[in-house]
Amino acid sequence: MGTDIPKSETSEGVFGRLQLWLNSFSYTTRVTVTFALVAVMTAIIAMGVLSFVWEANFQEYTRENVQALADSTANSIATHYESNHDVEIRTAQENGTDYPRMTTSDLQAAQSVSSLQRGMGVQVVSYLSGRSVFDSSQIGQNEGLFVGDDPHNGSLAPSSDDTVAASPIMLSDGTVIGSVRMWVYGSEMLLSKTDQAFRQQSYQAMMFAALIATALACVIGFGFARALVNPITRMTRTAAQLRDGNLDARTNFEGTDEIAVLARTFDAMADNFQRSQKRERQLTTDVAHELRTPLMAIRSTVEAIQDGVFEADEERLGIINEEVQRLSRLVDAILKLSRLENGSIPMNEQAINVGELVRPLVMSHEAFVADAGLDLEFEAEDDVFIFGDRDMIRQATANLISNAVRYTPEPGKIAVVVRKDERKGEALIAVRDTGIGLTEEEARMVFERFWRAEESRERQSGGLGIGLSVVKEIINRHSGWVEVEGEKGVGACFTLHIPLYDYERIKSVKEKREHGENAGVTSPIHVAGVSVSTGSRKSGKAQRSSISGKMPKIDMGSRSEHRRGAGRSERER
C-alpha cells in the first residue's frame, strides 16, 4: 500500500523547491526580473482597465458621431424638400391631400455622405411612398440613387436596428416624411475605418509603452540591484579579509542611508574586534610579565641561597614570602574578575543602607590615607537604599578609595560622598581625589585589565592593575554604571550609579532571572558627560558630585587593621 502524503507537506515541498530554484540565481538577477515582472503586470492591468473603459466610451462616442451625421443628413433633406416643393406642400396642406414625393434633387445630402464615407452605408426611406428612395448599398444602381420600382433588389442594409443609426426627416411643421438610416460595413459597433485604425493604433501604442516600461524597469532594477549588492559585496570581501587575519580591513563607507549605517556599524565592530585582539595579546603579555616578576624574585633568591650566597635567614625567607603573597593575590584577583565576568559568583542580595555600609569602610581607610599624607572627607545622605550584595559594594568602594590614595600625591584630599538622585532613581557613591588626574583617552582605558597611568607604569605603588575592572563588573551585576570624570594634573572622580531600592523592580528582575531572561546589562562609563562605550544603558549628561566644605574628621580604627583591609583592594588606573 502506498502512503498518503499530507497536502501541506506537498505544498511545502513545492514551495521549498521553488525557493531553492530562485536562490540559484544571483540577487541582481532576481531583483531585475522582479522589477520587470512588476512593470509587465502593471502594464497588463493598466491595459485591461483602459480597454474596458475605453471600449465602452469609444463605442458610445462613435455611435454618437454616426447618429449626428444621420441627424444632419435628415435635416438637410428636409430643408431641400421644403425648398423644392414649397407650392405643392402649401397646396397639400390647404386641400388635405398627400405631400409630393421626394425627387433626386431632394436627396443630394444623402448622396454627398455616400460619396465621402465609402465605408458607410446610407439609406433614405420615404413614408410618402412607403419605400426606400436612396440606398448606397443597392446593387445595380448608379451611386445608390434611384426613384424607381423594386427598390429592395440587392440591398445590403442591415435588418437589425441595433447596428443602424436612424434619424427622422421632419419638416418645419412637424410632419415626418421619411427617415435616414446609416451603418458601417463590417462593423456592428458603427466603427468607421478611421475609428478602427485609431483603435488599433491605440492598442499598439499601449503595447509599445508596455515594452518600453519593461525595458526601463529592467535597467532600473539592474542598477538598483547593483547599487544594493555592491556595498554588500564590499562588506563580504572585508569580512573575508578579517576572517583571514587582516584586522586592518575596513569598508570605509560614507553616507547616511541604511547601507552606510550598516557598513559603519560593521567597521565599528571590526575596530572593537581589533582592539579586543590587541587587548587579549596585551593581557597575555601583561599576565606573563606580572607573573614573571615575583617568580624571578623567588627564583633568584632561592638560587642564591642554594649557591651559598645568601643564608636562609628570616629576611631572605620574608622576601620569598612577599613575592609568593603577591603572586597569590594576583592569581586570586584574576580568578575573581573572571568569575565576576562569567557570573559564577552568587550574589547575596538584600536591602542595603549605602551610607551605613560605606561609613565604616571609610573609617577603616583613615589610617591608610593619613599615612599617605592625605586628608579624608566623608558625607552621606540619610536613607539611601539599594538592593544588592553588601560585600561586593564594599569591595568596589574600597577599590576606588585605595585607587585614589595610590594616585594622589601629598598634600592632597580624598572625598567620599553618598547621595541619591530621586529623578533618575539612582544611588551615587562618589570618590573624588586631587591626584594626577587623567585625560579622556585614559578614562576610556582605565577599566582595562593591567592598565596603569603612565606615571605609575613602574608599579612602585604595588597595584595589580585589576581593581577597577573588578569595580566595573561588580556594578554591572547590580545593573548600574560607572561615571568617570577627571582633568590631567587636577584630579579625578569615580562615581558608582546603582538603582535605588524598588520592590516592584526587584521583583521583576528576580522573575526574569528565574526564567533565564535576564541577559545582563553592561555598565556604561561616562567621561566628562560623554558615554564611553561600555553598555546598553543610555544616560544623560553626567552630573558632578557636589562636595562642599571641609568634612569633620572621623575617629578611625587601628592602623594595622586598616592596612590589612586596604591591602586587599586591587587598584589600577
Side-chain angles (χ1 to χ4, degrees):
M1 293 180 61
T3 57
D4 295 333
I5 301 177
K7 292 184 178 180
S8 59
E9 294 184 6
T10 303
S11 60
E12 289 178 1
V14 172
F15 283 114
R17 288 193 296 271
L18 179 60
Q19 185 176 6
L20 289 175
W21 180 75
L22 291 175
N23 289 337
S24 64
F25 297 95
S26 67
Y27 185 81
T28 302
T29 302
R30 282 181 284 165
V31 171
T32 303
V33 172
T34 301
F35 270 69
L37 290 177
V38 170
V40 170
M41 292 177 61
T42 303
I44 291 175
I45 294 174
M47 290 176 63
V49 175
L50 183 62
S51 298
F52 177 78
V53 176
W54 188 86
E55 285 290 343
N57 288 275
F58 190 70
Q59 291 177 19
E60 185 67 24
Y61 167 75
T62 55
R63 175 173 286 276
E64 290 178 355
N65 286 342
V66 176
Q67 185 64 52
L69 183 58
D71 293 340
S72 175
T73 303
N75 291 334
S76 180
I77 293 174
T79 301
H80 282 83
Y81 178 81
E82 289 181 323
S83 176
N84 294 334
H85 304 283
D86 181 54
V87 176
E88 291 88 341
I89 293 173
R90 284 200 301 269
T91 302
Q93 290 175 346
E94 292 174 358
N95 299 329
T97 58
D98 293 335
Y99 279 37
R101 293 186 178 185
M102 293 183 188
T103 62
T104 303
S105 60
D106 299 333
L107 304 174
Q108 291 180 357
Q111 186 178 9
S112 298
V113 172
S114 177
S115 300
L116 295 175
Q117 302 290 340
R118 290 296 182 181
M120 184 179 295
V122 181
Q123 184 182 56
V124 180
V125 178
S126 174
Y127 296 163
L128 300 176
S129 60
R131 62 183 180 179
S132 174
V133 295
F134 180 89
D135 192 337
S136 63
S137 67
Q138 184 73 36
I139 299 175
Q141 299 298 325
N142 183 20
E143 295 182 350
L145 185 60
F146 63 90
V147 191
D149 295 331
D150 196 16
H152 298 290
N153 182 28
S155 176
L156 299 179
S159 58
S160 174
D161 291 337
D162 294 336
T163 59
V164 174
S167 179
I169 303 173
M170 184 181 296
L171 302 181
S172 58
D173 60 356
T175 303
V176 178
I177 63 173
S179 65
V180 176
R181 301 175 76 240
M182 292 186 180
W183 67 92
V184 178
Y185 294 115
S187 175
E188 296 181 355
M189 298 181 294
L190 299 179
L191 294 177
S192 65
K193 290 184 178 181
T194 304
D195 295 332
Q196 293 177 8
F198 174 74
R199 183 177 65 172
Q200 184 177 4
Q201 291 174 0
S202 298
Y203 281 119
Q204 290 176 352
M206 284 190 286
M207 289 294 297
F208 184 69
L211 292 176
I212 293 177
T214 303
L216 288 176
C218 290
V219 173
I220 295 173
F222 181 80
F224 173 80
R226 295 301 299 173
L228 187 63
V229 168
N230 283 340
I232 296 177
T233 303
R234 190 168 168 182
M235 282 188 285
T236 302
R237 288 198 300 265
T238 304
Q241 292 175 346
L242 290 171
R243 178 199 61 196
D244 295 337
N246 182 12
L247 300 183
D248 294 324
R250 299 292 184 273
T251 62
N252 296 320
F253 265 99
E254 296 181 357
T256 57
D257 59 8
E258 290 80 357
I259 297 295
V261 172
L262 175 62
R264 287 198 298 272
T265 304
F266 180 87
D267 288 345
M269 180 188 68
D271 291 338
N272 290 336
F273 177 73
Q274 187 177 29
R275 284 195 295 268
S276 176
Q277 291 292 97
K278 290 181 178 179
R279 285 196 298 267
E280 184 176 343
R281 290 193 294 267
Q282 185 63 40
L283 174 63
T284 303
T285 302
D286 289 341
V287 169
H289 183 77
E290 295 290 341
L291 293 176
R292 183 177 60 184
T293 301
L295 288 175
M296 288 295 295
I298 294 172
R299 178 183 176 182
S300 60
T301 303
V302 171
E303 288 179 350
I305 293 175
Q306 289 177 338
D307 295 340
V309 177
F310 297 142
E311 295 182 1
D313 54 16
E314 183 178 355
E315 179 183 1
R316 305 303 175 188
L317 294 177
I319 294 175
I320 296 175
N321 182 55
E322 288 180 1
E323 295 301 329
V324 170
Q325 289 182 354
R326 173 179 170 78
L327 186 61
S328 177
R329 285 190 293 113
L330 177 61
V331 173
D332 289 343
I334 295 175
L335 181 60
K336 182 175 183 178
L337 177 59
S338 177
R339 289 176 175 175
L340 282 171
E341 292 176 338
N342 296 332
S344 59
I345 298 180
M347 293 180 62
N348 182 20
E349 293 179 298
Q350 56 184 297
I352 303 172
N353 187 323
V354 181
E356 293 181 359
L357 176 68
V358 175
R359 185 182 300 275
L361 178 66
V362 173
M363 294 174 63
S364 67
H365 280 72
E366 194 269 347
F368 176 58
V369 174
D371 288 345
L374 307 175
D375 293 331
L376 179 64
E377 299 177 358
F378 175 71
E379 178 185 9
E381 293 184 5
D382 296 332
D383 300 327
V384 180
F385 285 92
I386 64 173
F387 189 79
D389 188 295
R390 296 179 62 89
D391 293 337
M392 287 188 179
I393 299 300
R394 281 178 58 89
Q395 179 68 54
T397 307
N399 284 6
L400 293 181
I401 295 175
S402 58
N403 188 76
V405 172
R406 182 167 290 112
Y407 293 96
T408 302
E410 59 176 324
K413 181 174 66 175
I414 297 174
V416 181
V417 176
V418 176
R419 62 186 182 88
K420 59 183 174 181
D421 188 336
E422 294 283 3
R423 183 175 61 86
K424 294 182 179 180
E426 294 176 337
L428 280 65
I429 305 175
V431 178
R432 182 184 298 275
D433 62 59
T434 58
I436 63 176
L438 71 171
T439 64
E440 182 174 334
E441 183 62 27
E442 290 175 337
R444 296 177 185 274
M445 302 174 63
V446 75
F447 290 94
E448 300 295 335
R449 302 175 185 178
F450 303 112
W451 188 89
R452 296 177 177 85
E454 290 298 327
E455 289 84 349
S456 304
R457 291 294 294 179
E458 65 278 0
R459 299 172 176 81
Q460 292 179 354
S461 59
L464 298 176
I466 297 179
L468 292 184
S469 299
V470 172
V471 171
K472 184 177 79 70
E473 293 301 327
I474 289 175
I475 301 306
N476 174 54
R477 295 198 65 182
H478 286 79
S479 300
W481 55 286
V482 184
E483 177 185 354
V484 184
E485 297 173 294
E487 184 178 348
K488 200 68 174 176
V490 176
C493 178
F494 290 78
T495 305
L496 309 181
H497 294 251
I498 307 171
L500 289 171
Y501 177 78
D502 183 344
Y503 175 76
E504 293 299 330
R505 187 188 68 83
I506 298 304
K507 181 180 178 182
S508 175
V509 170
K510 280 189 172 182
E511 289 177 352
K512 288 183 178 180
R513 287 178 180 174
E514 290 175 359
H515 291 82
E517 297 175 359
N518 185 19
V521 182
T522 49
S523 48
I525 304 170
H526 282 248
V527 181
V530 181
S531 180
V532 185
S533 78
T534 60
S536 57
R537 176 186 179 120
K538 231 180 160 183
S539 63
K541 184 176 180 181
Q543 294 182 345
R544 295 180 177 272
S545 303
S546 174
I547 304 176
S548 58
K550 176 139 181 111
M551 304 300 157
K553 283 282 184 108
I554 304 173
D555 185 17
M556 307 296 182
S558 69
R559 295 172 181 260
S560 60
E561 180 178 320
H562 161 70
R563 288 194 179 101
R564 289 193 298 270
R568 292 191 295 267
S569 300
E570 303 304 335
R571 305 303 313 283
E572 70 177 3
R573 185 172 293 173

